[in-house]
Amino acid sequence: MTILLFGITKDIIGSDTLAISDATLNGTGKIQTVRELKTHLIKMYPDLKSLSTLAVAVNNSYAKDDKIINNFDEIALIPPVSGG
Amino acid sequence: MQNNRYERQTRLKEFGPEAQEKLSKASVLVVGAGGLGIPILLYLNAMGVGTLGIIESDTVEITNLQRQVLYTEKDLGRPKLEVVSERLQAQNSQTSFKLFDTFLTRDNALEIISEFDVVIDGSDNFPTRYLINDACVLLKKPFVSGAIQGFEGQLSVFNYNNGPTYRCLFPSIPSPEEIPNCNENGVLGVVPGIIGNLQALEAVKVITGIGAPLSGTLLLFDGLQNRYQKINFSLQPENLNIKTLQSSYGGQYCDLGTTKSVEELQLLLEKGKGIQLIDVRTEAEFEEFSLPTAFNIPLNELETRMAEIDFKKPIYLICQSGIRSEKALLRLQEENKEAILYNVLGGVNKFLSSCL
């Protein structure tokens, strides 16, 4: 699974994309939903926890926390930005 | 000259004289005449939008010039609103301008926005962005939103024909610590130019009905890869159910209970009672210019220098434009719930332009 990173998530994770292996997705604590993915990412990158408003897109559509995800999906983490 | 002024666009068969007529009758409010606001204003004015409203209360600073391309070195220290209105009037004498020398606040937002057909958000902070959303939902006005950070930009048209709103993407306002603003985080000069021009294009589409406005779609722009990506999102109906503005948007521009204007500050300074005025800019900024009686605790030293602050006396906080002092205010509020805190609106910039 590929995760595209935008805004501050890029700075927190230190890259503009993040790959999650099938083994992680299917292993113990299997990641099936957007909510579970968020929990997994926060465990790996604790600074993500401070983002109270973070949009997640699955295959270019906005996804709620209960959205089911699978290995082939392209995910995007989209925090709001405020600069003008 | 007048007859063929817009000929290059009216000859487009999808646009034509009908769309030009709609532009000439339209009134558009642009919030902020900064990195985004300037390309928006220059193009809408050039293309013949009948009425342009501009809200801006800042002055031109040297650090603005790398992206706010209308301002010149000669304009340093002048109010942006004054410079912009001179230039735009020279550019198109047929446009009617409504100028608002203020920040958008919860007390003036509804009155100002109600005068316009379309709002364009070129502001630089979350409190104003959420305020614009809520006011536009209440007044049923579409608004074209653009925002930038670093090499990236975001663009969408919200609240268009009962379409989704800003809160359908980002339900609640992030805290000031979460997301940096571009004063701190930096922005590549050309990026607001790109996003601002796209905002102008979307506004023209909303006004004239040509093409498909970017409603229900968020455009993400990544300048480093020159990648454009569209994310679809839908209306969450509860977000249309706004009955009134929030009592506070947690920011300097809206939370008037804890702010002081520079004029009020000047009166206090003139009385010479020795108010506790803390300047949270860097040491270098402080050395360059500081207000009488102010003492310097840079924002990043606040944590370790709390002991220097007398929480029994009112605390006035100031920085260059009012954003860092707002952060300091929130931190001090946390530290001492009883503290009497004031943020000086517009900071040193505003003081220099209004009080000297």
Side-chain angles (χ1 to χ4, degrees):
Chain A
M1 175 184 289
T2 307
I3 304 179
L4 304 177
L5 306 168
F6 291 91
I8 186 134
T9 64
K10 220 182 238 182
D11 300 334
I12 291 174
I13 292 171
S15 162
D16 56 4
T17 58
L18 180 66
I20 299 209
S21 68
D22 290 358
T24 307
L25 278 173
N26 299 320
T28 44
K30 203 173 172 193
I31 298 168
Q32 289 180 313
T33 63
V34 166
R35 183 181 293 107
E36 287 161 8
L37 177 67
K38 279 185 178 169
T39 310
H40 172 75
L41 291 173
I42 287 169
K43 215 180 292 167
M44 290 171 63
Y45 305 97
D47 285 350
L48 289 175
K49 199 177 162 62
S50 68
L51 303 178
S52 63
T53 286
L54 177 66
V56 176
V58 177
N59 301 328
N60 294 324
S61 285
Y62 181 88
K64 292 190 175 173
D65 281 354
D66 55 4
K67 167 87 180 168
I68 306 282
I69 50 177
N70 68 53
N71 306 9
F72 312 108
D73 288 334
E74 184 187 78
I75 313 283
L77 299 188
I78 309 160
V81 297
S82 72
Chain B
M1 180 190 94
Q2 302 301 348
N3 282 339
N4 61 3
R5 175 167 190 146
Y6 303 109
E7 189 269 339
R8 288 294 193 277
Q9 61 198 33
T10 53
R11 73 157 76 168
L12 295 166
K13 69 177 187 324
E14 300 84 350
F15 192 82
E18 301 77 23
Q20 191 63 47
E21 178 74 9
K22 287 179 186 165
L23 279 191
S24 73
K25 288 185 173 149
S27 61
V28 176
L29 176 67
V30 180
V31 182
L36 294 171
I38 279 165
I40 296 167
L41 287 163
L42 283 171
Y43 272 101
L44 293 184
N45 192 47
M47 290 176 70
V49 168
T51 303
L52 281 174
I54 311 167
I55 304 186
E56 177 59 67
S57 188
D58 236 331
T59 52
V60 181
E61 275 183 80
I62 187 84
T63 56
N64 297 150
L65 301 186
Q66 53 79 271
R67 66 189 186 286
Q68 303 181 17
V69 295
L70 177 140
Y71 304 121
T72 68
E73 292 172 7
K74 284 190 182 129
D75 300 321
L76 292 174
R78 290 182 66 197
K80 288 182 179 177
L81 197 65
E82 200 179 287
V83 181
V84 162
S85 68
E86 277 174 17
R87 283 285 302 278
L88 295 183
Q89 276 166 31
Q91 185 191 20
N92 193 339
S93 59
Q94 294 170 309
T95 310
S96 130
F97 295 98
K98 293 183 175 176
L99 306 176
F100 301 92
D101 178 14
T102 177
F103 294 107
L104 197 69
T105 69
R106 74 171 303 283
D107 295 327
N108 65 22
L110 293 174
E111 196 185 324
I112 293 175
I113 290 174
S114 65
E115 295 180 37
F116 296 88
D117 305 324
V118 179
V119 177
I120 308 184
D121 187 352
S123 70
D124 63 356
N125 63 88
F126 286 118
T128 306
R129 292 181 178 279
Y130 280 83
L131 173 63
I132 290 171
N133 177 76
D134 293 359
C136 286
V137 169
L138 274 168
L139 296 167
K140 300 199 189 311
K141 308 274 184 188
F143 71 105
V144 182
S145 174
I148 48 160
Q149 182 184 310
F151 304 95
E152 293 179 23
Q154 298 183 354
L155 176 77
S156 191
V157 177
F158 295 115
N159 205 42
Y160 175 73
N161 285 346
N162 291 315
T165 76
Y166 188 50
R167 288 185 187 270
C168 299
L169 268 180
F170 304 118
S172 56
I173 189 164
S175 67
E177 303 81 42
E178 267 174 55
I179 315 256
N181 67 52
C182 67
N183 288 344
E184 289 161 357
N185 208 40
V187 61
L188 194 71
V190 67
V191 172
I194 293 164
I195 299 298
N197 277 306
L198 290 173
Q199 285 180 279
L201 172 64
E202 290 306 313
V204 168
K205 286 155 64 182
V206 167
I207 293 163
T208 62
I210 64 164
L214 207 59
S215 170
T217 303
L218 174 71
L219 179 74
L220 297 168
F221 168 69
D222 175 356
L224 286 179
Q225 310 300 331
N226 217 329
R227 185 171 55 200
Y228 299 74
Q229 189 161 4
K230 285 178 174 177
I231 305 292
N232 299 314
F233 62 102
S234 50
L235 175 69
Q236 308 299 315
E238 71 270 19
N239 292 326
L240 292 181
N241 212 5
I242 294 173
K243 296 276 185 286
T244 164
L245 295 178
Q246 292 178 14
S247 57
S248 161
Y249 285 79
Q252 59 171 132
Y253 304 114
C254 319
D255 196 352
L256 293 173
T258 54
T259 59
K260 283 274 181 249
S261 69
V262 289
E263 289 83 6
E264 290 173 289
L265 179 70
Q266 194 185 29
L267 278 178
L268 287 164
L269 292 173
E270 278 168 2
K271 282 184 194 159
K273 282 197 181 147
I275 60 165
Q276 182 173 217
L277 177 61
I278 303 178
D279 188 326
V280 297
R281 295 175 303 156
T282 62
E283 239 169 78
E285 286 173 302
F286 187 79
E287 271 166 28
E288 198 174 300
F289 173 84
S290 67
L291 289 165
T293 79
F295 72 98
N296 184 218
I297 305 184
L299 184 61
N300 60 7
E301 295 175 20
L302 195 60
E303 284 309 317
T304 53
R305 295 178 59 183
M306 286 289 178
E308 295 172 42
I309 301 169
D310 182 356
F311 281 94
K312 293 195 190 74
K313 281 171 67 179
I315 302 162
Y316 297 80
L317 295 156
I318 192 164
C319 67
Q320 197 69 29
S321 72
I323 291 180
R324 279 173 286 174
S325 52
E326 170 69 13
K327 287 187 178 175
L329 185 142
L330 292 169
R331 179 63 194 93
L332 294 182
Q333 220 158 32
E334 243 174 57
E335 181 73 16
N336 187 322
K337 297 268 181 275
E338 309 293 306
I340 301 168
L341 299 160
Y342 298 103
N343 182 26
V344 179
L345 272 182
V348 169
N349 286 342
K350 186 77 182 156
F351 188 89
L352 289 174
S353 67
S354 306
C355 300
L356 295 180

